[in-house]
Amino acid sequence: MYRPPAASWEVGAARCPVLALFALALLGAVLNIVYWFRQAPGPSGVLLGLALVACTLLSMRGLRTLVRGRLQWDGASWHWSGTEDLLVTDLVCVLDFQRCMLLRMACGPTAAHWLWLETPSMDGRWHALRLAIVASRSQDSTDGLAGP
């Protein structure tokens, strides 16, 4: 089976999750205003507004704690170089928007990490990385079917 060549990517701050959070907070604010005017103003509208603000603030706090490091594919397995070098046991592409990807990465029995990868331009390195992510996932699924 064909395996994609080695690829690596620096994982850092991405605009995509910030824009998504902003869009959802704006949508929630508009819906809260519509709810406020369609219903009689009361404690439910205030409670809904406070819940919206609390969720937005918690999401912003979560964005600040996103992991940073280097994701590397050596042709056979994934490696994560963050605070320490780890072998990635599971890497799943959850969302793929061509220029922005959301990945779920697990390194052993620890909790999964969420990675936002983003590129300003569609260069060859980005294409190689996306190819490696998809091909490595399909390679994992065919390994279980091969048998002994």
Side-chain angles (χ1 to χ4, degrees):
M1 170 136 185
Y2 170 75
R3 291 187 180 200
S8 67
W9 197 261
E10 286 292 328
V11 179
R15 294 178 314 155
C16 194
V18 175
L19 292 175
L21 175 62
F22 178 74
L24 288 174
L26 186 63
L27 177 65
V30 167
L31 291 175
N32 192 18
I33 291 169
V34 168
Y35 175 78
W36 185 267
F37 284 113
R38 296 205 73 184
Q39 302 290 323
S44 62
V46 173
L47 188 63
L48 186 63
L50 289 175
L52 173 69
V53 169
C55 289
T56 303
L57 291 175
L58 285 172
S59 298
M60 286 172 46
R61 180 177 165 222
L63 287 178
R64 279 193 242 141
T65 61
L66 288 175
V67 293
R68 295 172 186 251
R70 182 175 203 70
L71 185 63
Q72 298 174 333
W73 167 254
D74 62 10
S77 60
W78 287 100
H79 301 277
W80 173 251
S81 301
T83 54
E84 58 184 289
D85 291 341
L86 300 169
L87 178 67
V88 176
T89 56
D90 190 30
L91 185 71
V92 178
C93 179
V94 178
L95 295 173
D96 186 355
F97 296 117
Q98 302 297 316
R99 290 182 183 258
C100 182
M101 297 176 74
L102 175 63
L103 305 177
R104 191 184 80 235
M105 173 186 73
C107 299
T110 61
H113 298 286
W114 294 89
L115 307 175
W116 280 100
L117 280 60
E118 185 175 39
T119 183
S121 62
M122 300 291 279
D123 61 357
R125 290 182 332 110
W126 179 252
H127 178 68
L129 177 77
R130 291 181 69 233
L131 177 66
I133 290 170
V134 172
S136 68
R137 192 68 190 166
S138 63
Q139 178 68 30
D140 289 346
S141 63
T142 58
D143 284 347
L145 297 176

